[in-house]
Amino acid sequence: MAAQELLGEAPTIPELVLVVGSDENFDAEKVREATRLERPFEIIDYDTLMRMYLAAAV
């Protein structure tokens, strides 16, 4: 498992994240369909994801 190799341990409670495009180009209908999943998940746009990655790399 990649997470186990990278982090040294396997995630015990994995979380789902739906990554959408920027505010300007995501498809609201597809996001609405995805929210019908039974498992809870977080929605994040790509730009925010990249900012979080860059902030963690510093």
Side-chain angles (χ1 to χ4, degrees):
M1 177 183 266
Q4 187 169 3
E5 291 175 13
L6 181 65
L7 302 173
E9 61 184 69
T12 55
I13 305 174
E15 295 181 27
L16 292 177
V17 176
L18 174 63
V19 179
V20 298
S22 68
D23 290 340
E24 301 159 357
N25 67 1
F26 81 94
D27 186 335
E29 180 60 31
K30 289 182 180 179
V31 172
R32 201 171 11 265
E33 287 179 32
T35 59
R36 296 183 348 199
L37 291 174
E38 304 246 341
R39 288 181 59 191
F41 63 94
E42 181 178 349
I43 299 175
I44 188 168
D45 66 274
Y46 182 79
D47 296 332
T48 301
L49 179 65
M50 290 289 83
R51 280 194 294 272
M52 289 170 56
Y53 174 77
L54 292 172
V58 174

